[in-house]
Amino acid sequence: MKKLFIYSGYLVLGLLFGWTLIEAQVISWYRIQEMFRFQSFHMYGVIGTAVVLGASALYLIRRAEARSLTGQRIEVAPKQMSIVRYLVGGTIFGLGWALTGACPAPMFILFSSGFLSVGIVIVGALLGTLLYGALRDRLPH
Amino acid sequence: MTFSLFVAQATTAQPLPWYLAGALIALVLVGLLFLGRTLGISSNMRTMCTIGGAGRWFEFFNFDWKRESWNLVFLAGAMLAGVLTAVSKGFDPVPEVISPATRQALEQLGFSTDHGSLLPPEWFDLNGEGTGPRILILLVGGLLIGFGTRWAGGCTSGHAISGLSNLQLPSLIAVIGFFAGGLLLTHVLLPVIVRLL
């Protein structure tokens, strides 16, 4: 019963996330172009507000030593320090982001909204994930 | 169709204000934390490869995907928002108000900006002539997204939202990379790609 409740929570939060990205036009190719041309504050405002509020909430959560519904202390697992993987991997992703105007969440939302040609981007992204899995041992991390 | 599950403003000219959108995304982040999870969309693609049987070939995909099933449910919710919006008010045309400077720059590159869609038909409309190069662009763009996010260990949601909220340096480096790539493509490569098509 509790598991069902928690999984419904994931679905509802996903719905809210998707709705927000749609209504704020984050899924628009044009908004991403605007962002990379520094010609609108909109996208910076969206990401900036989310980060400031997210960081504040995490600070309070840590101070209160809050626990999740599953009973564990709430923590964001830290990423291992490296420069190459984040900088080079990040740059490669940035190229794809600007080219298609979509990062992973918008890509799936656009497809489900009926922009079927974005399915080709999804296929490409799955192939790219597969390629990473194939080359992983040979890449610097 | 007039039926709408959404009570807030319709997707018309003006987007949801940035501060509301940012606050809602933070709410989603905190909500997931209280359900014991961290926001991050791109790892779903690894899970999908695993479900598709990629573990037979590559060790990276050998993991118990069921412990990541929550994220597929979350993604399904986000996709459901797309379906509901499209059903309730239709997505095309969605007149947007984009910056006049961006409009001018894109029109000089040959992209139409007055059709009111979220995506430029010059690249995303697969009917008619020139379909081959368009498919190639979309496929290569996807490849870069899939390969890059896995190597960097996250995308906009995982690094820019979750990671920066956690004030972690790796995510800041990743976000700098995202912008390096995005700026390079927009300002240097895009004019070249457009000319080649």
Side-chain angles (χ1 to χ4, degrees), chain A residues 19 23, chain B residues 6-12 14-17 89:
Chain A
W19 181 83
E23 293 296 320
Chain B
F6 298 93
V7 285
Q9 67 174 109
T11 311
T12 48
Q14 293 297 339
L16 191 69
K89 41 192 191 201

Side-chain angles (χ1 to χ4, degrees), chain A residues 6-7 9-11 13-25 27-31 33-39 41-42 44-47 49-51 53-55 57-58 61-62 66-70 74-83 85-100 102-105 107-113 115 117-118 120-121 123-136 139-141, chain B residues 6 8-13 15-16 18-19 21-26 28-37 41 45-46 48-49 54 58 60-61 69-70 73-75 77-79 81-83 85-86 89 91-92 96-99 101-102 105-106 109 111-112 115 117-120 123-124 126 135 137-139 141-153 155-156 159-160 164-166 168-170 173-174 177-179 181-183 185-187 190:
Chain A
I6 288 179
Y7 269 76
Y10 297 141
L11 190 74
L13 287 173
L15 196 60
L16 179 61
F17 185 61
W19 181 83
T20 304
L21 298 192
I22 293 166
E23 293 296 320
Q25 296 171 353
I27 63 172
S28 159
W29 187 91
Y30 295 96
R31 290 266 173 244
Q33 276 294 313
E34 243 181 12
M35 174 180 78
F36 283 131
R37 292 171 189 277
F38 302 106
Q39 285 163 342
F41 176 72
H42 184 70
Y44 297 98
V46 173
I47 297 173
T49 308
V51 170
L53 293 178
L58 255 174
I61 283 171
R62 287 208 180 99
R67 288 178 184 274
S68 66
L69 286 184
T70 46
I74 294 178
E75 225 3 285
V76 173
K79 300 261 184 200
Q80 229 180 354
M81 191 49 204
S82 152
I83 290 182
R85 81 173 284 195
Y86 300 117
L87 200 58
V88 181
T91 302
I92 292 173
F93 162 58
L95 291 169
W97 187 12
L99 188 62
T100 63
C103 49
M107 180 172 92
F108 284 102
I109 297 169
L110 281 167
F111 181 71
S112 73
S113 324
F115 292 97
S117 57
V118 181
I120 297 170
V121 183
V123 170
L126 289 171
L127 288 174
T129 305
L130 211 55
L131 185 67
Y132 170 78
L135 300 178
R136 188 172 179 242
L139 297 170
H141 279 85
Chain B
F6 298 93
Q9 67 174 109
T11 311
T12 48
L16 191 69
W18 53 265
Y19 47 90
L24 287 171
I25 292 171
V28 170
L29 173 76
V30 172
L32 280 181
L33 286 174
F34 274 94
L35 293 179
R37 308 292 178 179
I41 291 290
M45 294 190 286
R46 180 191 184 200
M48 289 174 192
C49 289
F58 310 120
F60 179 62
F61 300 103
S69 60
W70 72 271
V73 174
F74 180 79
L75 179 61
M79 291 179 76
V83 174
T85 309
K89 41 192 191 201
F91 243 135
D92 254 342
E96 301 162 87
V97 180
I98 58 166
S99 137
T102 305
L106 290 175
L109 289 170
F111 293 103
S112 54
H115 51 79
S117 175
L118 295 165
L119 305 173
W123 279 13
F124 287 87
L126 297 184
I135 290 178
I137 283 180
L138 300 183
L139 200 62
L143 262 172
L144 294 167
I145 292 172
F147 186 81
T149 52
R150 255 347 348 97
W151 195 3
C155 61
T156 328
H159 275 309
L164 291 186
S165 290
N166 196 33
Q168 56 193 22
L169 187 58
I173 300 172
F178 297 171
F179 272 84
L183 293 175
L185 189 116
T186 302
H187 297 277
L190 191 58

